[in-house]
Amino acid sequence: MSRPQSSNNGAIAAPFRIGLEAIAPDAWIEIDDRHAAQIAEKERLLATKGDAVFRAMPESAAAQREACEMLCDHLVSVHPEHVVPDGDGVRAVAGKQRVSAGKGVEQDLMQVSRLVQDDLVIMEKSQGVHRLTAASLCFPSSWRLEEKFGRAMADIHAPVPGFGPGTRTAAMIERIFDNLRDDLPARRYNWSLYASPDLYHPVADHHLDADALRSTDPSAWLRVERQTLRRLPRSGGILFTIKICVDPIAVLREDAASRAQAHALADHVDALTSEQADYKGMTKSRHEIARWLRDAADSAG
């Protein structure tokens, strides 16, 4: 199996922490060997799901155009094997998608989302808080765009333990957003264990059956989100990117580094509070999951 880059780069991060780190601009957007398949799935979803996967407020047009321009410049510069200049726009080498920002063909954010594996979300500040004003969200991890669209960041995170309105973490996120730089993206990882490998997963029904882990071919999937944040300097908005990697949980047996991540994940699962375990869909099975992770890593070693 070809491993996603993020699986080898701190993906098993401590849950329910912001955990942002600055990264070099060249490391902003990742493209891996799942690119063609995920872009094809995006095209299918954009064609069939409508406003379930793309929404934008009219006032987000300037931020959309700016995000599109920044992403196109980055992709041509850093990933020329995947995206090349084409007239007044750019073109994807594999899928033949062409993007020409600001030409009125369609929403700029939707156009550029067809070039990258990442989902793209724009947050803009109004009335003292950042709100979701545009998003191309084809691969949601248990949340619906229609429920979050137009809402403030703290309200979006209301279901997440410790991240909702009035919490210290919510205030900290607003300060982080205010201080983000366009020349220095920030990155964080999030993980979940799901019962399905589906990329389009808007419903929070990923609860694992512990019995499934006891089979020789466990039907559990490690879902990792590689998230980045970057300031849009002209509009003042924030571009939030989310790249999804889904692997069979057995990937954590593959090598020494993976087995170390399995132990780290087991420690995180064991340390969850009851509220956190419920949010992660592990209320009834988290200790069995942690035990399986350790046993699997030790037996493979």
Side-chain angles (χ1 to χ4, degrees), residues 249-268:
I249 197 171
V251 75
L252 295 172
R253 294 170 166 167
E254 281 192 350
D255 52 36
S258 299
R259 293 191 289 272
Q261 289 190 335
H263 277 287
L265 182 55
D267 290 342
H268 293 324

Side-chain angles (χ1 to χ4, degrees), residues 69-107:
E69 292 169 355
M70 286 180 69
L71 282 164
C72 287
D73 288 346
H74 172 84
L75 293 168
V76 168
S77 174
V78 178
H79 300 289
E81 71 279 17
H82 292 284
V83 179
V84 296
D86 182 20
D88 61 353
V90 303
R91 174 175 53 82
V93 172
K96 309 303 182 185
Q97 296 90 347
R98 188 179 183 280
V99 170
S100 183
K103 299 300 180 183
V105 178
E106 62 182 353
Q107 300 274 13

Side-chain angles (χ1 to χ4, degrees), residues 12 34 108 122-123 174 189 232-233 238 245 258 263 268-269:
I12 309 303
R34 307 177 195 205
D108 287 315
I122 289 176
M123 309 291 299
E174 285 293 334
Y189 290 98
L232 301 172
I238 303 296
C245 295
S258 299
H263 277 287
H268 293 324
V269 170

Side-chain angles (χ1 to χ4, degrees), residues 38-60:
Q38 290 191 350
I39 293 301
E41 177 64 358
K42 271 194 177 188
E43 289 288 351
R44 185 188 73 82
L45 291 165
L46 287 167
T48 59
K49 295 293 184 182
D51 61 7
V53 296
F54 183 86
R55 292 195 181 204
M57 295 180 177
E59 56 267 33
S60 70

Side-chain angles (χ1 to χ4, degrees), residues 151-172:
R151 297 176 66 182
M153 195 66 182
D155 293 329
I156 289 171
H157 283 100
V160 184
F163 279 68
T167 63
R168 178 175 175 272
T169 305
M172 189 181 303

